[in-house]
């Protein structure tokens, strides 16, 4: 899943804990170019502490200072396998939602060329564009694709993008009219990957090329980003990180299927590549090779606040008074300086890119593990050194926060979770199970099948290679589904509440993820039973 941040992680520990932490001091010699207080030893100590605290196999970190690359290094290994090759500065990682800034920048190039305006109506360029509300459809602007203030709910439509989805981009666009609005238009922040897929489709419509071609040629190649590509790696590419729970087998190029999610999270890049990208942004769109890839005016528009967000729980500790979203970037004040940043989560990896433009500084953190705490801790600690020449111990802060959250989750599961005294599992007869068997259809996600296998009820999603699990019964037509692929889907186990009509027949179902992964937006599904399956043979 692609996730920008997990504020719930930070709610678990009060800011006072951080403020009571002693400031770290290091006596290593200052390398040329690094800001005061930030040394190679400080960086290495911070990374290795985070790698150990959160069990991250591999991490790549790079630092830009005064517009120059002053540090770029890999730590640990490329896969979960302890015998795998080491990470270096050219190891490619999936950067997830840090792809969004590439998609927004591709639109900015069209603005620079006079072919598009940020305030243009989307339907004037894509007449087939439709949302659930006709009035919002008519007024939806290009900028609205990028700011996460559409009125759709958090993670709306992500089940077409992740969880083994095989949806194509045209199919995703066709499902847009069925996505519900949960807040007034432009009023409330709710992170949205779906509309970045639309933004990628708009790039394709305006250029006549695929999103992959435009981003590769006009951004990655134009800025000369090393070890960076708009498509997933394939067999034969060796310096590639593998994320938690992912297969180490790369596909043949001939069998590569470009994912629908790509404009929201499809780029793979190395620390060296992302550092060159950071230099290009810091230099107002001019790449280190001298090419003006996009204008400074566009850079300033991308980095301007366009939608307000709530303050983070760390606001007091980092002297943060505002947080906002621009076009593909978060921004806030950080110890009196402007800070621009984004994170990305996909394929068992997490990335973090952060700038302090007034210091002409950028920090890149790439990891091959689903822990958000590790890149958050590293990026925050190193950024504090750039801003202040010193830093609190953010690794310990995020470790304590993670431990507190895990303890709270365990307590909640024991008291009210599935199988607890409050929600005991029950055993259903074969005849009772048969009530639920059949095909259910959701307007945007398509068919979902409930079948019997032996003594078990099974749930399977269409348009997905492997989203299948076993249902366990709780009282009152309530079940849990435990997905088969524990490596990738364990966090997405969900409640399934079946509904009955006035005659007592099962007529539909609703779902809610048990955990906190907003990208498993099961709550937006409203499947209705359309075909009761024939009686399955008894085991």
């Amino acid at each position: 899943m692609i996730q920008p941040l997990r504020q719930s992680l930070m709610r678990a520990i009060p800011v006072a804990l951080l403020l009571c932490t002693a400031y770290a001091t290091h006596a290593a010699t200052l390398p040329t170019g690094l800001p005061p207080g930030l040394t190679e030893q400080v960086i290495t100590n911070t990374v290795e502490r985070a790698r150990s605290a959160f069990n991250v196999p591999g991490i790549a970190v790079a630092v830009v200072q005064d517009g120059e690359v002053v540090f770029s290094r890999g730590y640990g290994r490329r896969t979960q396998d302890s015998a795998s090759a080491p990470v270096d500065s050219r190891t490619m990682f999936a950067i997830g939602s840090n792809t969004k800034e590439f998609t927004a920048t591709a639109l900015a190039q069209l603005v620079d060329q006079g072919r598009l305006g940020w305030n243009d109506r989307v339907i004037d360029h894509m007449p087939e564009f439709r949302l659930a509300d006709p009035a919002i459809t008519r007024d939806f602007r290009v900028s609205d694709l990028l700011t996460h203030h559409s009125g759709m709910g958090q993670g709306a439509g992500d089940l077409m993008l992740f969880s083994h989805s095989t949806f194509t981009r045209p199919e995703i666009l066709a499902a847009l009219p069925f996505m519900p609005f949960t807040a007034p238009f432009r009023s409330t922040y709710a992170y949205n990957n779906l509309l970045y897929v639309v933004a990628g489709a708009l790039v394709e419509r305006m250029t006549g090329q695929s999103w992959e071609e435009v981003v590769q040629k006009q951004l990655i190649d134009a800025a000369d980003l090393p070890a960076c590509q708009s498509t997933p790696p394939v067999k034969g590419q060796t310096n590639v990180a593998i994320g938690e729970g992912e297969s180490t087998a790369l596909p043949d190029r001939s069998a590569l299927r470009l994912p629908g999610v790509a404009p929201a999270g499809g780029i793979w890049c190395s620390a060296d590549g992302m550092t060159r990208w950071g230099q290009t942004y810091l230099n107002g769109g001019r790449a280190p090779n001298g090419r003006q890839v996009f204008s400074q005016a566009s850079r300033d528009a991308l980095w301007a606040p366009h939608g307000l967000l709530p303050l983070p729980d760390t606001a007091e500790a980092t002297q943060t008074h505002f947080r906002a979203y621009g076009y593909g970037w978060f921004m806030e004040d950080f110890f009196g300086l402007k800070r621009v940043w984004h994170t990305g989560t996909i394929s068992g990896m997490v990335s973090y890119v952060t700038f302090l433009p007034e210091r002409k500084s950028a920090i890149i953190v790439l990891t091959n593990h689903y822990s958000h705490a590790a890149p958050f801790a590293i990026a925050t600690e190193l950024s504090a050194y750039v801003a202040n020449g010193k830093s609190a111990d953010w690794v310990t802060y995020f470790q304590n926060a993670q431990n507190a959250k895990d303890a709270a989750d365990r307590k909640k599961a024991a008291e009210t979770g599935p199988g607890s005294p409050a929600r005991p599992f029950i055993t259903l007869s074969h005849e009772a199970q048969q009530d639920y068997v059949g095909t259910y259809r959701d307007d945007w996600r398509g068919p979902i099948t409930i079948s019997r296998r032996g003594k078990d009820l099974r749930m399977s999603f269409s348009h997905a290679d492997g989203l299948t699990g076993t249902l366990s019964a709780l009282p009152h037509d309530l079940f849990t589904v435990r997905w088969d692929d524990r490596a990738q889907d364990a966090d997405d186990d969900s409640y399934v509440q079946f509904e009955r009509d006035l005659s007592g027949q099962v007529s539909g179902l609703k779902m809610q993820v048990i955990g906190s992964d907003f990208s498993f937006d099961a709550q937006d599904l409203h499947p209705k039973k359309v075909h009761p399956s024939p009686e399955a043979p008894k085991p």
Side-chain angles (χ1 to χ4, degrees):
M1 315 309 175
I2 300 180
Q3 299 174 15
L5 62 135
R6 287 194 176 171
Q7 289 183 328
S8 60
L9 181 70
M10 293 180 279
R11 291 192 185 98
I13 295 294
V15 171
L17 175 64
L18 178 64
L19 298 177
C20 292
T21 303
Y23 278 95
T25 58
H26 301 268
T29 304
L30 176 69
T32 303
L34 284 167
L38 188 60
T39 68
E40 289 188 11
Q41 192 61 53
V42 167
I43 297 171
T44 294
N45 287 349
T46 302
V47 173
E48 290 293 6
R49 288 177 60 235
R51 199 163 75 87
S52 175
F54 305 110
N55 300 311
V56 183
I59 300 176
V61 173
V63 179
V64 175
Q65 182 62 36
D66 295 322
E68 299 296 327
V69 180
V70 295
F71 187 91
S72 189
R73 186 176 300 174
Y75 298 85
R77 58 190 189 275
R78 297 175 194 168
T79 76
Q80 310 291 311
D81 184 354
S82 60
S84 67
V87 170
D88 60 37
S89 64
R90 295 293 176 98
T91 302
M92 288 199 303
F93 292 76
I95 66 169
S97 282
N98 273 300
T99 299
K100 289 180 171 63
E101 66 236 24
F102 286 83
T103 298
T105 306
L107 290 175
Q109 288 182 318
L110 295 169
V111 173
D112 287 339
Q113 297 163 12
R115 300 168 63 186
L116 189 71
W118 295 118
N119 202 41
D120 288 358
R121 298 193 311 165
V122 175
I123 57 171
D124 290 339
H125 298 288
M126 297 176 65
E128 72 277 20
F129 175 74
R130 291 292 183 276
L131 298 171
D133 187 319
I136 295 176
T137 300
R138 289 191 297 270
D139 193 36
F140 211 86
R141 310 293 166 148
V142 172
S143 59
D144 292 320
L145 296 172
L146 307 177
T147 59
H148 305 300
H149 282 72
S150 67
M152 294 183 191
Q154 182 99 317
D158 277 0
L159 272 169
M160 292 187 290
L161 309 180
F162 309 109
S163 300
H164 312 275
S165 171
T166 60
F167 276 82
T168 65
R169 282 174 222 164
E171 289 171 333
I172 292 168
L173 294 176
L176 273 175
F178 302 106
M179 299 311 305
F181 285 86
T182 60
F185 184 33
R186 299 187 184 124
S187 70
T188 304
Y189 170 80
Y191 196 79
N192 186 292
N193 293 299
L194 193 62
L195 292 173
Y196 270 82
V197 177
V198 179
L202 179 57
V203 169
E204 294 178 331
R205 176 62 56 85
M206 300 296 294
T207 63
Q209 302 176 67
S210 71
W211 173 88
E212 286 82 2
E213 291 174 313
V214 172
V215 168
Q216 188 67 48
K217 295 176 183 177
Q218 302 303 320
L219 295 176
I220 294 173
D221 294 345
D224 197 17
L225 310 185
C228 198
Q229 59 192 52
S230 61
T231 55
V234 294
K235 193 175 294 183
Q237 293 184 269
T238 56
N239 199 353
V240 176
I242 303 297
E244 180 182 7
E246 297 292 318
S247 169
T248 58
L250 297 176
D252 291 317
R253 187 174 298 277
S254 61
L256 182 63
R257 181 179 56 80
L258 298 179
V261 72
I267 290 176
W268 288 68
C269 204
S270 65
D272 284 354
M274 292 303 293
T275 302
R276 184 73 61 91
W277 180 240
Q279 288 178 289
T280 302
Y281 255 87
L282 286 169
N283 202 31
R286 184 177 297 278
N289 62 12
R291 182 168 179 175
Q292 191 75 41
V293 180
F294 51 97
S295 70
Q296 181 160 332
S298 282
R299 192 282 307 271
D300 293 345
L302 294 164
W303 275 5
H306 296 289
L308 293 177
L309 281 70
L311 288 178
D313 294 314
T314 53
E316 182 179 351
T318 56
Q319 299 175 25
T320 298
H321 304 91
F322 88 97
R323 177 173 277 187
Y325 203 85
Y327 297 154
W329 293 101
F330 292 94
M331 58 211 61
E332 63 194 20
D333 58 329
F334 181 84
F335 296 111
L337 300 171
K338 181 178 182 179
R339 180 170 179 251
V340 182
W341 58 279
H342 214 289
T343 62
T345 303
I346 198 170
S347 300
M349 306 192 214
V350 183
S351 63
Y352 202 127
V353 178
T354 180
F355 296 88
L356 293 173
E358 292 149 298
R359 293 283 194 267
K360 298 183 179 179
S361 173
I363 293 169
I364 313 298
V365 183
L366 308 176
T367 73
N368 61 352
H369 190 265
Y370 248 134
S371 169
H372 289 72
F376 269 69
I378 295 167
T380 306
E381 191 150 326
L382 300 189
S383 295
Y385 273 107
V386 174
N388 297 326
K390 60 184 180 181
S391 178
D393 182 358
W394 285 92
V395 174
T396 297
Y397 171 79
F398 280 103
Q399 187 176 30
N400 289 338
Q402 182 67 66
N403 291 340
K405 180 182 181 299
D406 290 346
D409 288 346
R410 287 193 298 269
K411 183 175 185 292
K412 179 180 178 182
E415 292 178 351
T416 61
S420 68
R423 281 181 169 172
F425 287 114
I426 61 175
T427 300
L428 297 179
S429 67
H430 172 84
E431 290 74 16
Q433 283 184 334
Q434 199 62 32
D435 279 356
Y436 307 101
V437 171
T439 299
Y440 300 72
R441 184 172 184 83
D442 180 78
D443 287 338
W444 61 271
R445 190 55 185 75
I448 299 169
T449 302
I450 307 296
S451 60
R452 292 189 77 248
R453 188 181 71 181
K455 296 181 180 180
D456 294 328
L457 281 175
R458 302 276 290 165
M459 169 178 269
S460 299
F461 275 69
S462 64
H463 298 289
D465 292 330
L467 188 59
T468 301
T470 298
L471 291 166
S472 297
L474 300 164
H476 310 300
D477 289 325
L478 181 65
F479 292 74
T480 64
V481 58
R482 188 178 192 271
W483 304 113
D484 294 347
D485 189 341
R486 305 310 294 164
Q488 294 192 43
D489 304 326
D491 289 340
D492 298 330
D493 291 346
S494 299
Y495 289 112
V496 181
Q497 178 68 67
F498 287 91
E499 301 170 319
R500 294 180 183 268
D501 60 24
L502 294 178
S503 68
Q505 299 298 307
V506 172
S507 59
L509 63 86
K510 293 181 180 179
M511 294 182 68
Q512 180 73 53
V513 68
I514 296 172
S516 58
D517 180 8
F518 72 75
S519 279
F520 198 82
D521 61 320
Q523 73 281 352
D524 291 330
L525 297 171
H526 298 93
K528 300 300 180 185
K529 195 172 186 180
V530 295
H531 183 265
S533 296
E535 174 72 22
K538 295 183 179 180

